[in-house]
Amino acid sequence: LMIDYKNLSSLFMDNGYKLTNQRHAVLNVIAENKSLHLSVEDIFQALNNKNPEIGLATVYRTIQLLEKLRLVNSINLDDGFIRYQFADPEERHQHHHLICEKCGNLADVQEDLLEELERQMMIKMKFKVRNHSLKLYGLCEKCMNNS
Amino acid sequence: LMIDYKNLSSLFMDNGYKLTNQRHAVLNVIAENKSLHLSVEDIFQALNNKNPEIGLATVYRTIQLLEKLRLVNSINLDDGFIRYQFADPEERHQHHHLICEKCGNLADVQEDLLEELERQMMIKMKFKVRNHSLKLYGLCEKCMNNS
DNA sequence: CTACTTGCAAACGTTTTGCATTTGA
DNA sequence: TCAAATGCAAAACGTTTGCAAGTAG
């Protein structure tokens, strides 16, 4: 986990929330799977091993809280689930996603390539960008070669 | 409507579908509100004036078909509804969206500003982009001045 | 004619909520 | 101590589907 217990506890307390075992366990699952994009059901299943007492509603409520505290980001692939990923507090922007239309593979693009575009939005549209969501649909390397 | 009845009918027939009154009516609502982003419920309500006999399920099925025929684009603002907009067949790419986090206003950006980024994806990630979804969250001009 | 389409209502699956009980600080 | 958090089950919500009846070509 990137954040030690003391700092984590402070983050919750300072915002008027309690750091419960359940919340800590949910965050652990997400932090231990940084490269994955987990649905709430995925997280609930992962918890069932060590913390079978945690209810699904608690996972939903916790995820909402973690997102508010900016500890997780969400991505909606329009397949019926919202997926969650650990948000490194050191990263300034939500990263981009590459979605292969053939095999369904989902890849992250860490580099922020929208800074110039966002500058243009301010000039041309008088719009101040604070966050973004970019999904690129197409063919991954493997599927490009196999077609 | 950008497409005359004959061409529209051909588009449906050539793909093995029939151009029914219901489908024509749904497309008309979307085409007559090019600048808006209509939910299925919005479309259903708009139809109730002139075509009260059209059922909600038909609207859902028609929208799916229109999207398959590339006559409409969808945008998901993660507020529980998928919204639809007429897709000008002459536009090559899905346009971008500016979403004001203060007043909720939704604006379109017609200019495609991702061509260079998509070229970089091919070079750096070996990923061939075929479509994209870009949502920019922030402050519109009005809300920037009022804060 | 007849395969495709429709309208209705019931079903679906994810997410939210009400409420009594538990718990962190 | 006690407001906040939890677990459970029920409800909510947008969307999909089964099926009998209707219709475009």
Side-chain angles (χ1 to χ4, degrees):
Chain A
L1 195 49
M2 311 293 291
I3 309 174
D4 65 39
Y5 184 86
K6 206 169 187 175
N7 285 342
L8 194 59
S9 186
S10 299
L11 177 60
F12 278 77
M13 298 282 283
D14 293 351
N15 287 277
Y17 304 108
K18 296 175 182 171
L19 178 49
T20 62
N21 289 335
Q22 290 91 332
R23 289 174 176 172
H24 204 245
V26 168
L27 184 57
N28 266 333
V29 167
I30 297 171
E32 287 166 359
N33 295 282
K34 287 187 70 154
S35 63
L36 272 52
H37 305 79
L38 303 172
S39 68
V40 169
E41 195 60 35
D42 291 335
I43 297 166
F44 183 64
Q45 293 298 335
L47 285 168
N48 265 354
N49 303 332
K50 290 190 177 175
N51 305 74
E53 75 284 1
I54 299 182
L56 184 57
T58 298
V59 180
Y60 274 103
R61 285 186 278 228
T62 299
I63 282 290
Q64 286 183 339
L65 178 57
L66 295 179
E67 199 170 11
K68 200 190 298 183
L69 296 176
R70 300 188 170 277
L71 288 169
V72 309
N73 282 329
S74 65
I75 173 180
N76 191 341
L77 300 180
D78 300 310
D79 62 350
F81 317 89
I82 301 172
R83 292 165 186 287
Y84 299 91
Q85 194 171 25
F86 188 71
D88 192 330
E90 288 163 25
E91 284 168 29
R92 298 210 320 272
H93 300 279
Q94 162 102 345
H95 59 246
H96 317 317
H97 290 98
L98 305 179
I99 301 137
C100 181
E101 292 176 320
K102 204 170 177 188
C103 70
N105 186 271
L106 177 57
D108 295 329
V109 182
Q110 293 302 339
E111 193 178 353
D112 185 358
L113 301 163
L114 288 181
E115 293 189 350
E116 172 56 26
L117 186 149
E118 293 177 359
R119 211 172 295 124
Q120 287 188 44
M121 283 302 103
M122 181 51 111
I123 296 166
K124 293 181 182 170
M125 308 287 292
K126 311 289 185 211
F127 188 92
K128 172 64 181 168
V129 176
R130 296 201 296 199
N131 200 357
H132 57 233
S133 160
L134 175 57
K135 290 178 280 188
L136 300 168
Y137 298 90
L139 287 175
C140 70
E141 186 172 11
K142 208 191 239 176
C143 291
M144 227 181 333
N145 294 334
N146 290 355
S147 62
Chain B
L1 195 50
M2 311 291 293
I3 309 174
D4 65 39
Y5 185 85
K6 206 169 189 176
N7 284 342
L8 195 59
S9 186
S10 298
L11 177 60
F12 278 76
M13 298 282 283
D14 293 352
N15 287 279
Y17 303 109
K18 295 175 182 172
L19 178 50
T20 62
N21 288 336
Q22 289 92 331
R23 288 172 176 174
H24 203 246
V26 169
L27 183 57
N28 266 333
V29 167
I30 297 170
E32 286 166 0
N33 294 282
K34 288 188 70 156
S35 63
L36 273 52
H37 305 78
L38 303 172
S39 69
V40 169
E41 196 61 35
D42 291 336
I43 297 166
F44 183 64
Q45 294 298 335
L47 285 168
N48 264 355
N49 303 331
K50 290 189 177 177
N51 304 75
E53 76 284 1
I54 299 181
L56 185 58
T58 298
V59 180
Y60 274 103
R61 285 186 279 229
T62 299
I63 282 290
Q64 286 183 338
L65 177 56
L66 295 179
E67 199 169 11
K68 200 189 299 181
L69 296 176
R70 300 186 171 279
L71 288 169
V72 308
N73 282 329
S74 65
I75 173 180
N76 192 340
L77 300 181
D78 300 311
D79 61 350
F81 314 89
I82 301 172
R83 293 165 185 285
Y84 298 91
Q85 194 171 24
F86 188 71
D88 193 328
E90 288 163 26
E91 285 168 28
R92 298 210 319 273
H93 300 279
Q94 162 101 343
H95 58 246
H96 317 316
H97 290 99
L98 306 180
I99 301 136
C100 180
E101 291 175 322
K102 203 169 177 191
C103 70
N105 186 272
L106 176 57
D108 296 328
V109 182
Q110 292 303 339
E111 195 179 352
D112 185 359
L113 301 162
L114 289 181
E115 293 189 351
E116 173 56 25
L117 186 149
E118 292 178 359
R119 210 172 297 124
Q120 287 188 45
M121 284 301 103
M122 180 52 110
I123 296 166
K124 293 181 181 169
M125 307 286 292
K126 310 289 185 210
F127 188 93
K128 171 63 183 168
V129 177
R130 296 201 296 199
N131 202 355
H132 57 232
S133 159
L134 174 57
K135 289 177 280 186
L136 301 169
Y137 298 90
L139 287 175
C140 70
E141 186 172 11
K142 208 192 238 175
C143 290
M144 226 180 334
N145 294 334
N146 290 355
S147 64

